Amino acid sequence: MTDKSPDTSRRTLLIGATTALSLTALSKPSEAAVPTQPPVPPSGPKTTLGMVLFDGFELLDVFGPLEMFGMLKDRVEIVMIAQKAGPVKSGAGPAAVADVGFADAPRLDIVMIPGGMGTRREVDNPAFMAAIKDIAQATPQVATICTGSGLLARTGLIDGVKATSNKMAWKWATAQGAKVVWVPKARWVEDGKYISSSGISAGTDMALALIAKLYGKDMAHWVAHRAEYRWNEDATDDPFAAMNGLGA
């Protein structure tokens, strides 16, 4: 029997070493793995978040923020609210179900008002607008997504308050409140108890910013990682303002 050549021996050693490294890697959990449990344990009563619905709402305005807060179901209770309980059709077609009508809404800690083409109709709906105003006045934290800020502006509650909106619908949204301090270049804007985001996807970034405010930045990062979402943490990073002629 002949001895193995040096090349063959070297190849055998390399294969053995590679196999050993692979088995070692498999036996250890990845250091980058996202933990299944949030970094901050729950404490105190649950926060009640109410999402407003109306015919023609924008799907991502509603479900982007709710996906983020839904990761915290051990400490956040989500309720869908509309003029009346039941199915409410989105602008894209699929319906969401309102759990309660405005008259039966529970006390809220957070209320979110989305945008969508239905906002153009609802600003001229006195019953809807009165309900929005009452709920926003009574709720400690008020958030708007996209042209939802136009609805809130029409109530007069954010006169003198900084806010932003969808840059493609800027002219319409800002026309709903001449006394609002509209910020054209912003992913989202916070002023007191009010926080408003730019168009559609920006609502998800805003929701994470709100989670960071309420539960800490580690919690916001944990939620984003669980959702495999790249959170834009810079509220001033808004390329869409310039794209829509609203300044550099």
Side-chain angles (χ1 to χ4, degrees):
M1 184 172 66
T2 60
D3 293 335
K4 293 181 178 178
S5 69
D7 286 346
T8 302
S9 299
R10 191 178 298 111
R11 190 180 303 113
T12 301
L13 287 171
L14 287 172
I15 292 172
T18 303
T19 302
L21 286 171
S22 298
L23 290 172
T24 301
L26 287 171
S27 66
K28 293 181 178 180
S30 169
E31 293 181 1
V34 179
T36 57
Q37 296 301 314
V40 181
S43 62
K46 281 189 174 184
T47 295
T48 302
L49 187 162
M51 177 63 81
V52 173
L53 298 175
F54 49 83
D55 284 339
F57 71 87
E58 184 69 38
L59 282 172
L60 192 59
D61 285 5
V62 169
F63 293 106
L66 291 189
E67 179 65 28
M68 300 301 106
F69 274 94
M71 295 281 182
L72 305 176
K73 58 181 178 292
D74 60 344
R75 65 201 79 200
V76 178
E77 187 76 32
I78 297 171
V79 59
M80 309 293 259
I81 308 168
Q83 198 156 358
K84 62 180 182 179
V88 182
K89 197 170 183 178
S90 70
V97 177
D99 301 300
V100 295
F102 289 133
D104 300 314
R107 188 192 69 82
L108 303 175
D109 299 296
I110 305 169
V111 63
M112 291 188 168
I113 305 169
M117 292 305 296
T119 56
R120 279 69 165 176
R121 179 192 61 254
E122 296 301 341
V123 290
D124 294 319
N125 178 348
F128 179 90
M129 294 304 299
I132 289 292
K133 185 173 184 177
D134 288 346
I135 289 174
Q137 281 181 313
T139 303
Q141 181 71 63
V142 180
T144 64
I145 306 100
C146 193
T147 52
S149 57
L151 290 173
L152 191 60
R154 182 66 79 89
T155 68
L157 291 177
I158 55 173
D159 285 354
V161 174
K162 293 178 183 176
T164 196
S165 195
N166 187 320
K167 304 313 171 343
M168 292 185 70
W170 189 254
K171 185 176 180 180
W172 179 85
T174 58
Q176 307 313 307
K179 296 180 181 179
V180 177
V181 183
W182 293 106
V183 181
K185 186 182 179 184
R187 186 74 171 160
W188 71 87
V189 171
E190 184 175 6
D191 190 347
K193 76 171 192 175
Y194 299 102
I195 185 168
S196 55
S197 80
S198 186
I200 311 181
S201 66
T204 304
D205 291 329
M206 180 195 72
L208 286 166
L210 192 50
I211 288 171
K213 174 186 175 180
L214 298 173
Y215 302 104
K217 187 166 277 192
D218 286 346
M219 183 72 86
H221 281 295
W222 178 81
V223 168
H225 293 161
R226 292 277 289 175
E228 295 192 0
Y229 181 76
R230 285 189 174 181
W231 176 27
N232 180 352
E233 298 182 51
D234 184 356
T236 66
D237 183 6
D238 179 20
F240 302 101
M243 287 170 62
N244 290 280
L246 297 175

